[in-house]
Amino acid sequence: MSLTEHELEIKLEEVEDPDIGEDIVSLGLVNDVTIDDKTARISLAFNAPYAPSELELGNRIRDVIEDAGLEADLRAHVGEEHGFDDEVLPRVRNVIAVSSGKGGVGKTTVAANLAAGLEKRGAMVGLLDADIHGPNVPQILPPESDPGVTPNEEIVPPRSDGVRIISMGMMMEEDDDPAILRGPMVNKFMMKFLEGVEWGRLDYLIVDLPPGTGDATLNLLQSMPVTGSVVVTTPQEMALDDTRKGIQMFNKHDTPVLGVVENMSSFICPSCGDQHGLFGTSGADSIVDKYDVPLLGRIPIHPDFGADGSQGALVKDDDSEVQSHLEDVVGEVADRIGEQNRRTVSENVTHEPANKLPTETED
């Protein structure tokens, strides 16, 4: 006898979300189950494309379906009914804010490599350089063309090695020209970047925020549905103090902090291989413990990473000693996005366990 759709849904209760600790059916992550000619078509409320944890969940779901003697056809769908905003940036699945409490900690380099790393995994990615006064993204990811303009006067971002980017740096005649702008003009450019860019369909939009907790960051939090923030710090106590303030700001605006990236965490001697904590050791651990946020990764000091001003994202450079550290950060960020989105679904979708049979009602 062939398996019914209800019986298959019961079998899917064997698949547990590794981050939340409950099965995917009870969490409301299974939108629909249909069986047609030995093919099980499953619609899943997943929203973090190419996140390692969701890819693994997909593999486990396929195993359950194949054990039942069926072919698996998995698809992902989320919408307003799952708790996601369909009005602001409706074609952008996830907005990730990359921030730092102070300048000089490598925030832009982390943001650019995060964008390039997600694109490398197969995602459609955009990178918004929202640091109006210090627009350095084009130095790392040089645009392949000038920005375009739609008939509706929306900016069309050019690409850089597959990543769609927009930056104030593209608007300057010379690379060394300063952006001498007062607050109202900064806000005007920010709102144009937030509301007047035609990104197309994106899995992830990375926003490189200016350092600190000023107007630009507040405008973003008030104007965009930010999925979560990544906070970049270095081990020095002064940087950690400002990082704590940044985390508090996100908490006050109900923006999930996905975790902390500790940059310049150590120096690895190229001659002897010894590791030295030039700016202290394990400084980010105090933040992780106090605010109960994940440590997304530690990136060592290396001439490749932000020191020589070379162009290109090292996460795509197979010869770089830093690549593996960056790939770990990219995977952790994607997993935390996936976990955050699945928790959003579970909070907005009520789903009765599949093994609970429907009760008969009297006429």
Side-chain angles (χ1 to χ4, degrees):
M1 180 180 291
S2 60
L3 203 67
T4 67
E5 293 164 352
H6 181 73
E7 290 169 335
L8 178 56
E9 191 170 350
I10 292 175
K11 285 186 174 294
L12 290 175
E13 291 180 353
E14 300 171 10
V15 180
E16 181 179 285
D17 187 305
D19 299 312
I20 303 178
E22 297 180 40
D23 73 87
I24 61 172
V25 177
S26 298
L27 289 171
L29 299 174
V30 179
N31 295 323
D32 186 52
V33 177
T34 59
I35 299 175
D36 181 24
D37 193 25
K38 293 293 183 178
T39 297
R41 293 183 173 85
I42 313 293
S43 173
L44 300 165
F46 287 0
N47 197 35
Y50 302 96
S53 60
E54 292 199 353
L55 291 174
E56 179 58 29
L57 271 173
N59 290 334
R60 292 167 61 190
I61 293 168
R62 287 187 180 90
D63 289 341
V64 170
I65 294 171
E66 289 171 4
D67 288 345
L70 299 168
E71 294 287 332
D73 181 5
L74 306 185
R75 304 179 184 189
H77 167 74
V78 295
E80 188 176 1
E81 67 274 19
H82 298 98
F84 296 98
D85 192 327
D86 275 348
E87 295 184 2
V88 181
L89 297 176
R91 301 178 68 194
V92 177
R93 288 190 172 194
N94 299 286
V95 178
I96 306 173
V98 180
S99 71
S100 65
K102 65 189 300 97
V105 300
K107 167 185 56 64
T108 296
T109 313
V110 171
N113 277 273
L114 174 58
L118 289 167
E119 194 278 334
K120 178 183 175 183
R121 289 171 179 262
M124 292 178 287
V125 185
L127 175 57
L128 168 58
D129 186 355
D131 193 346
I132 302 298
H133 290 292
N136 296 319
V137 163
Q139 295 180 20
I140 305 170
L141 293 176
E144 297 166 1
S145 63
D146 292 330
V149 181
T150 71
N152 295 328
E153 297 188 348
E154 291 182 315
I155 302 172
V156 179
R159 293 179 185 266
S160 178
D161 198 15
V163 178
R164 303 170 198 178
I165 62 171
I166 200 71
S167 170
M168 188 69 180
M170 301 176 187
M171 314 298 174
M172 302 297 185
E173 291 185 6
E174 301 292 339
D175 291 343
D176 293 337
D177 286 350
I180 304 175
L181 301 169
R182 294 187 181 274
M185 286 301 296
V186 172
N187 289 338
K188 181 179 179 180
F189 275 104
M190 271 296 301
M191 295 313 297
K192 181 63 176 178
F193 283 170
L194 295 179
E195 299 176 353
V197 177
E198 176 49 65
W199 291 104
R201 189 162 66 89
L202 295 180
D203 296 317
Y204 301 95
L205 174 60
I206 314 300
V207 183
D208 178 28
L209 292 172
T213 56
D215 285 350
T217 299
L218 296 177
N219 283 339
L220 172 75
L221 297 180
Q222 293 167 357
S223 304
M224 277 188 172
V226 179
T227 310
S229 63
V230 173
V231 183
V232 182
T233 188
T234 53
Q236 299 105 312
E237 188 56 42
M238 190 174 294
L240 295 170
D241 285 344
D242 290 337
T243 299
R244 295 183 185 97
K245 296 172 185 175
I247 290 176
Q248 289 279 56
M249 177 197 65
F250 286 119
N251 288 339
K252 288 180 180 179
H253 285 81
D254 296 323
T255 300
V257 177
L258 302 173
V260 176
V261 175
E262 185 182 84
N263 193 23
M264 309 180 198
S265 62
S266 63
F267 170 71
I268 301 175
C269 177
S271 300
C272 64
D274 289 348
Q275 187 167 323
H276 305 276
L278 299 182
F279 301 131
T281 57
S282 304
D285 289 349
S286 62
I287 294 177
V288 169
D289 294 338
K290 180 175 181 179
Y291 294 101
D292 191 27
V293 296
L295 178 64
L296 299 171
R298 288 188 167 96
I299 304 172
I301 299 172
H302 194 280
D304 284 352
F305 195 65
D308 62 1
S310 60
Q311 296 178 343
L314 294 181
V315 72
K316 291 188 175 184
D317 184 352
D318 294 338
D319 295 326
S320 173
E321 296 178 9
V322 184
Q323 184 190 55
S324 61
H325 298 276
L326 295 169
E327 287 182 333
D328 289 344
V329 169
V330 172
E332 284 293 325
V333 171
D335 278 348
R336 298 290 70 78
I337 286 287
E339 178 186 355
Q340 178 61 41
N341 285 337
R342 297 195 302 277
R343 289 188 184 277
T344 297
V345 172
S346 68
E347 292 166 1
N348 287 273
V349 176
T350 302
H351 197 289
E352 291 291 339
N355 56 23
K356 181 179 179 181
L357 296 176
T359 58
E360 293 184 1
T361 56
E362 294 182 0
D363 293 328

